[in-house]
Amino acid sequence: MKDLTKRPLGDSGLEISPLVFGGNVFGWTADQPTSFALLDAFVEAGFDAIDTADAYSRWVEGHEGGESETVIGEWLKARGRRDDVRIFTKVGSDMGQGRKDLSPAWIETAVEASLRRLQTDYIDLYQTHWPDPETPQEETLRALDRLVQAGKVRAIGVSNHDAAQVREALDISAREGLAAYASIQPHYNLYSRDTFEGALQDLAVERGLGVVTYFSLESGFLTGKYKNADQIAGTAREGMLKGKFDERGVRILAVLDAVAQKNEATPAQVALAWLLAQPGVTAPIVSATSTSQLDDTLKAATLQLSKEDLDDLTDASAY
């Protein structure tokens, strides 16, 4: 894909393409050959950032976590493309210790396991996955700073923390001279806007943080594949999407369809293009389980919506 302007990820020193591959599917809904094909296609199209976590995919029966990182590591070894990609992973999910854990001891253990699975000697962006109410943020930041100083991690980010927690962490880093979070990873999309807009978005813009959004298509709701609740009855999607087909949700889908037709695009491409136009957003995370699905999704990176289209989508999704 041509003309992919890279975007700085806050002040991390990293520049990334405008879409990030969500690696939770690797070793789960995408087996190794499929995962390799997806990664090959993603990089060949000019994209470079891959997001995963140590806990992917621990929720699957028989999995223990680390499956996604393992597949990525095998791909990196097989293809020899470590310098061509930016690897984002996360620490802090329950990996059997029974809690969300950002203690220094756990971080020291977890990073070595992630590096081993990824078959690399450094992680580009190491993110704290969830808040840990039992560990003071300063202790977490000192542990992360040691990883940066050791060259095991190039930059640090934070996911699923609220604005007050992120602000506190930034203030601690400034006061103590520690590595600071350069990015945040919030749940944010055209349907779920209050998960980011407001204090967290304001902080990101104010402090120049990179913003990498997850659930960028609201678990498939914004793909346009489903028009009403009847279509998902009895399927795996029912629990995630059933309540979204209310008046507001249906209105969003209608405007998405209209804007997509006007631009000869798909609803998913339009929903992602809207995200890319929002203040503070660096790159949405996207995922796929087939190369055809991925090729279609990646076209969002070069879709330019008019101000009128963006305003129509913003108005339709207002609460």
Side-chain angles (χ1 to χ4, degrees), residues 213-249:
T213 64
Y214 75 87
F215 285 168
S216 304
L217 294 173
E218 194 65 12
S219 301
F221 180 73
L222 298 171
T223 63
K225 181 178 179 181
Y226 312 104
K227 304 299 183 186
N228 55 63
D230 292 341
Q231 288 181 285
I232 56 169
T235 72
R237 297 274 173 182
E238 185 171 18
M240 294 182 285
L241 302 183
K242 185 177 181 181
K244 295 179 170 56
F245 292 97
D246 55 8
E247 182 181 351
R248 176 173 171 268

Side-chain angles (χ1 to χ4, degrees), residues 88-107:
F88 303 170
T89 194
K90 309 182 197 74
V91 61
S93 287
D94 181 1
M95 287 285 282
Q97 70 273 46
R99 68 181 186 92
K100 295 179 172 66
D101 191 349
L102 294 177
S103 65
W106 176 248
I107 288 172

Side-chain angles (χ1 to χ4, degrees), residues 191-303:
Y191 182 89
S192 292
R193 292 175 52 184
D194 57 2
T195 45
F196 174 60
E197 292 178 6
L200 192 56
Q201 184 177 37
D202 292 346
L203 179 64
V205 172
E206 172 196 336
R207 298 291 186 96
L209 300 172
V211 178
V212 176
T213 64
Y214 75 87
F215 285 168
S216 304
L217 294 173
E218 194 65 12
S219 301
F221 180 73
L222 298 171
T223 63
K225 181 178 179 181
Y226 312 104
K227 304 299 183 186
N228 55 63
D230 292 341
Q231 288 181 285
I232 56 169
T235 72
R237 297 274 173 182
E238 185 171 18
M240 294 182 285
L241 302 183
K242 185 177 181 181
K244 295 179 170 56
F245 292 97
D246 55 8
E247 182 181 351
R248 176 173 171 268
V250 171
R251 183 173 70 242
I252 290 170
L253 293 180
V255 176
L256 258 184
D257 270 339
V259 174
Q261 289 180 28
K262 179 180 172 184
N263 288 274
E264 297 183 345
T266 66
Q269 291 163 5
V270 169
L272 293 169
W274 179 86
L275 266 180
L276 280 163
Q278 299 313 300
V281 173
T282 308
I285 293 174
V286 299
S287 200
T289 52
S290 70
T291 53
S292 59
Q293 183 186 25
L294 179 64
D295 290 344
D296 188 66
T297 302
L298 295 182
K299 293 174 184 173
T302 51
L303 176 60

Side-chain angles (χ1 to χ4, degrees), residues 5 21 41 81 122-123 162 182 207 229 269 282:
T5 302
F21 199 111
R81 303 202 70 158
Y122 69 96
I123 292 162
D162 65 27
R207 298 291 186 96
Q269 291 163 5
T282 308

